[in-house]
Amino acid sequence: MELFNWFNGLTGALTRIDWLILISTLAFIVLYGVYKTRGKQTSEQYIKGGDSRWWTVGLSVMATQASAITFLSTPGQAYTDGLEFVQFYFGLPIAVVIICITFIPIYHKLKVFTAYEFLEKRFDIKTRSLASILFLIQRGLAAGITIYAPAIILSAVLDWELKYLNIVIGILVIIYTVSGGTKAVNVTQKQQMIVIMAGMITAFILIVQQLPDNVTFDNALQMAGDADKMKIIDFDFSLDDRYNIWSALFGASFLMLSYFGTDQSQVQRYLSGKSVSQMRIGLLFNGLLKVPMQFFILLVGVMVFVFYQYNSTPLNFNPAAEKAVLESSLAPSYKELQQEHEQLLASKQSKQVAYGDAIASNSSNILQLSEELKILRDKEDANRDKARALIAVADPAVETNDKDFVFINFILNHLPHGLIGLLLAVILSAAMSSTASELNALSSTTTVDIYKRFTGADKNDEHYVKAGKWFTLLWGLIAITFASVVSLFDNLIQLVNIIGSLFYGTILGIFLVAFYVKKVKGHAIFIAALLSETVVIVCYLVDSADNGIDLLPFLWLNPLGAILTVVLAYVLQTIQRSPDQLNIT
Amino acid sequence: MEQNKPKKRINWNLIYVLVIAANIAFAIAFYFLSDTYGAF
């Protein structure tokens, strides 16, 4: 009843046409997933998928990686920092080529259902269990965040009840993931990617169209360049700089290799390929399209930036943050800042019009106007910083960094009705596609690596399909529960993300040894993994403590964990007199 | 007849090189784009 009242009370930014498009798109995806996988399935079909062509594999891999936060946060990132984030994705093609050469043929030859199954064939049960349990912990927590992260943003801007939004996203995913397993996840991800790309391309066209008549696309890029948003490639090597081509080629390659090669939520996508060739082409499709796709999403953010140079913006894009401060004793100070902000916007907008005219007519005062605009923008940024500080005092729990709210603010206030519904369908589709892969992989790992492995493989096939369905449901409910309580604990999201990243390097190290260092056996790799994980955690703790010591930036902990695991495993194996004694299998 | 037809073999190494080359081309294009719009 409460849910019904909440639904009836939905008003504001969305009209009937938005609701119609949003609900029909999401309902179609769910029903399509259930319909395409109706009937009895074997465990091979339910867990592995098994007969996908390359385009299904490719789109499924792409949809798994692109979460809702990709479409909310990435344009906001470009709005504030420009296009340089795209460099991070140059690690991806290197990683997928390595996976195509080594990982895929071996996974296929051994006919494994999960990546961790391979570790028992290569080493022993304890290494397989270690890797699968680490995966279950990190993905089990991350699945909750995949639902929660977009839900908190949408609930803030649309005034929807957060707990119901968590439940609705979770239940929609559970329906088709439980019913159809891997195949349902794969077929729905194709539809989701079509919705996502159609929505983003339409949004891009409309943003460019809404710029003043004399501002061409080329002029808009020049304006973005003058505002330092067009630096895409950075060749300067610096460990502290998060995005330069070197950290991408080295740090991000390791991260992508871990993610695509050893994370079951991705491995399961390409294991569903019909043959080695179909799996490889599906992955290479991502190696080819990921960089241009991310560039395009960032470019949408840059165009939103140019658009907002001519149009009004709130002092803070997060309405929940503004509400919190305006309801506190700091409201008068915040209102003062808002007034200052309005005045700055007025002078910036008139200057921007003159600057746009100067660019269009190629007049001589472009540089001077650009410099004057830069000064105004700096003042605006300083004002926004002051506003954030006030918000943080008024309500320490509310998110003051409003980068993630920029694009959704633009969608709701400047796109036509109908398209608002489509763009919300894009965001929710992306949330659903990533969550579906996670629940699907969590269920497969629990069924294959834990349940089947430790209860004996004497049950019939139908039993494991049923078990897979129950585990999917269970993980779905855990994800919804976690999404519902995550906001109650400070910094929990950050903690979950850190836990995930801290294990990635070591897990990759285990797989690299498995594939490339034949000499190393079970005991050596197990001890090496534990030692290197300890070193990574110590490095992280030393870095994050307020002691003035900076060992390694976060992205570089991945290569450290991987390389240390490989070297330690090799050394440990070598110093043993009898390597055979190390292998308990 | 159909059985005698030689199976088409995919030259995977060539495809890997092409995928990496395409990404190098993106990087070069991005460099020139940055340069054109005054980033350097």
Side-chain angles (χ1 to χ4, degrees):
Chain A
M1 193 61 194
E2 205 186 339
L3 181 66
F4 182 76
N5 289 338
W6 165 73
F7 193 80
N8 266 345
L10 290 171
T11 49
L14 301 199
T15 60
R16 277 188 189 160
I17 182 77
D18 294 316
W19 279 111
L20 186 71
I21 290 175
L22 175 61
I23 292 174
S24 55
T25 308
L26 299 185
F28 170 76
I29 290 170
V30 173
L31 294 175
Y32 182 81
V34 174
Y35 174 76
K36 286 292 271 187
T37 51
R38 68 196 182 283
K40 214 173 168 184
Q41 286 186 301
T42 62
S43 64
E44 170 102 15
Q45 288 166 326
Y46 187 80
I47 296 172
K48 219 172 166 184
D51 57 354
S52 302
R53 306 296 292 264
W54 67 265
W55 55 86
T56 307
V57 173
L59 289 174
S60 180
V61 166
M62 194 176 261
T64 299
Q65 194 185 17
S67 68
I69 279 300
T70 308
F71 298 97
L72 284 168
S73 190
T74 310
Q77 175 125 23
Y79 178 92
T80 40
D81 300 327
L83 294 166
E84 62 179 357
F85 180 55
V86 77
Q87 295 176 100
F88 180 72
Y89 290 91
F90 277 111
L92 191 148
I94 300 171
V96 299
V97 165
I98 294 171
I99 292 164
C100 286
I101 294 172
T102 312
F103 291 44
I104 286 181
I106 294 178
Y107 287 156
H108 185 258
K109 190 178 159 195
L110 296 175
K111 296 191 177 3
V112 292
F113 280 48
T114 71
Y116 318 112
E117 211 181 337
F118 157 68
L119 292 179
E120 184 172 2
K121 293 180 195 280
R122 171 65 179 82
F123 297 122
D124 51 29
I125 178 66
K126 64 179 182 301
T127 311
R128 172 185 181 178
S129 303
L130 175 72
S132 52
I133 288 168
L134 286 181
F135 169 75
L136 290 176
I137 294 170
Q138 73 181 59
R139 268 298 144 204
L141 296 173
I145 305 280
T146 312
I147 296 175
Y148 171 79
I152 181 77
I153 295 170
L154 293 181
S155 70
V157 291
L158 292 162
D159 217 11
W160 292 350
E161 191 68 48
L162 176 62
K163 61 182 173 183
Y164 295 134
L165 194 53
N166 283 330
I167 293 170
V168 168
I169 298 174
I171 287 178
L172 287 176
V173 176
I174 287 173
I175 293 171
Y176 64 86
T177 315
V178 170
S179 128
T182 301
K183 195 177 172 191
V185 175
N186 287 357
V187 294
T188 47
Q189 281 174 330
K190 265 199 292 191
Q191 318 301 323
Q192 284 157 339
M193 274 316 290
I194 292 168
V195 172
I196 287 169
M197 288 324 291
M200 292 306 282
I201 291 169
T202 317
F204 178 78
I205 294 169
L206 283 179
I207 299 165
V208 176
Q209 266 184 358
Q210 287 189 50
L211 294 174
D213 288 343
N214 65 349
V215 179
T216 62
F217 181 58
D218 180 48
N219 293 351
L221 290 180
Q222 188 179 339
M223 290 171 183
D226 288 347
D228 295 330
K229 307 290 178 197
M230 290 299 290
K231 189 177 181 187
I232 316 172
I233 297 283
D234 184 357
F235 287 108
D236 296 335
F237 178 80
S238 162
L239 274 180
D240 300 327
D241 189 3
R242 208 168 161 195
Y243 306 119
N244 58 54
I245 198 75
W246 311 113
S247 67
L249 289 179
F250 200 67
S253 292
F254 273 84
L255 186 66
M256 300 286 181
L257 199 53
S258 302
Y259 178 55
F260 287 99
T262 74
D263 190 311
Q264 180 63 16
S265 59
Q266 276 297 1
V267 173
Q268 189 149 10
R269 310 276 67 79
Y270 56 79
L271 283 185
S272 70
K274 204 173 183 177
S275 63
V276 168
S277 299
Q278 300 295 323
M279 295 180 200
R280 279 176 167 163
I281 301 172
L283 263 189
L284 292 168
F285 167 83
N286 279 269
L288 199 60
L289 289 187
K290 190 69 193 182
V291 168
M293 187 186 123
Q294 285 302 130
F295 175 74
F296 172 69
I297 299 168
L298 287 163
L299 196 60
V300 169
V302 167
M303 287 299 122
V304 170
F305 169 81
V306 176
F307 173 86
Y308 273 138
Q309 301 312 298
Y310 287 97
N311 294 277
S312 295
T313 52
L315 184 53
N316 190 291
F317 281 95
N318 180 358
E322 290 216 311
K323 195 175 165 211
V325 72
L326 287 172
E327 283 174 358
S328 75
S329 58
L330 297 168
S333 315
Y334 195 79
K335 280 182 183 158
E336 240 173 72
L337 284 178
Q338 278 182 319
Q339 271 180 355
E340 243 177 86
H341 178 67
E342 294 299 327
Q343 285 162 2
L344 271 171
L345 284 187
S347 21
K348 193 182 83 176
Q349 281 162 14
S350 60
K351 191 79 68 190
Q352 181 71 28
V353 172
Y355 170 62
D357 292 342
I359 289 181
S361 60
N362 202 14
S363 82
S364 57
N365 59 344
I366 298 176
L367 203 64
Q368 186 205 336
L369 285 166
S370 162
E371 287 300 318
E372 287 170 12
L373 270 172
K374 195 173 180 314
I375 293 166
L376 286 172
R377 267 197 301 270
D378 287 345
K379 281 186 185 166
E380 187 190 335
D381 288 344
N383 220 21
R384 286 184 192 279
D385 286 342
K386 282 186 209 161
R388 281 190 200 105
L390 276 185
I391 294 166
V393 176
D395 184 355
V398 78
E399 179 62 66
T400 57
N401 186 354
D402 55 348
K403 206 170 60 178
D404 293 348
F405 293 83
V406 173
F407 189 49
I408 188 75
N409 182 289
F410 172 81
I411 291 172
L412 295 176
N413 293 307
H414 301 285
L415 287 184
H417 285 291
L419 194 60
I420 295 178
L422 179 66
L423 265 292
L424 287 174
V426 166
I427 293 161
L428 291 175
S429 290
M432 284 161 61
S433 66
S434 302
T435 310
S437 288
E438 287 172 325
L439 298 187
N440 186 222
L442 286 163
S443 158
S444 305
T445 306
T446 315
T447 309
V448 175
D449 296 298
I450 308 290
Y451 181 68
K452 193 174 176 181
R453 179 64 184 79
F454 289 103
T455 58
D458 56 345
K459 310 274 193 313
N460 63 23
D461 195 63
E462 203 179 328
H463 177 84
Y464 292 112
V465 175
K466 266 193 190 157
K469 292 190 177 198
W470 280 109
F471 284 129
T472 312
L473 177 65
L474 180 70
W475 280 112
L477 294 176
I478 290 173
I480 294 175
T481 310
F482 189 67
S484 305
V485 300
V486 70
S487 58
L488 303 177
F489 303 97
D490 284 347
N491 299 326
L492 192 58
I493 297 183
Q494 210 183 351
L495 186 71
V496 170
N497 289 335
I498 289 167
I499 288 172
S501 308
L502 287 182
F503 292 136
Y504 252 22
T506 304
I507 293 180
L508 176 63
I510 297 174
F511 277 85
L512 290 178
V513 170
F515 286 122
Y516 299 111
V517 195
K518 297 271 186 295
K519 168 181 171 175
V520 175
K521 307 283 185 235
H523 257 30
I525 189 64
F526 190 76
I527 296 166
L530 294 180
L531 287 174
S532 91
E533 192 52 53
T534 311
V535 174
V536 168
I537 291 171
V538 168
C539 273
Y540 170 73
L541 291 176
V542 171
D543 262 349
S544 56
D546 195 12
N547 53 11
I549 303 171
D550 286 325
L551 292 175
L552 266 184
F554 201 61
L555 193 61
W556 293 87
L557 289 176
N558 279 293
L560 174 75
I563 293 169
L564 209 56
T565 306
V566 175
V567 172
L568 283 174
Y570 188 84
V571 171
L572 282 172
Q573 188 70 56
T574 309
I575 57 175
Q576 295 296 322
R577 281 186 193 158
S578 167
D580 290 341
Q581 287 171 2
L582 289 168
N583 195 354
I584 61 167
T585 55
Chain B
M1 246 344 238
E2 198 61 30
Q3 282 175 341
N4 293 336
K5 220 173 166 183
K7 207 180 165 191
K8 256 197 282 179
R9 283 186 65 87
I10 302 174
N11 187 345
W12 287 108
N13 288 339
L14 179 67
I15 294 177
Y16 300 146
V17 170
L18 288 176
V19 169
I20 299 290
N23 280 281
I24 293 171
F26 292 143
I28 294 170
F30 289 158
Y31 177 82
F32 283 111
L33 198 61
S34 307
D35 196 32
T36 307
Y37 292 103
F40 300 122

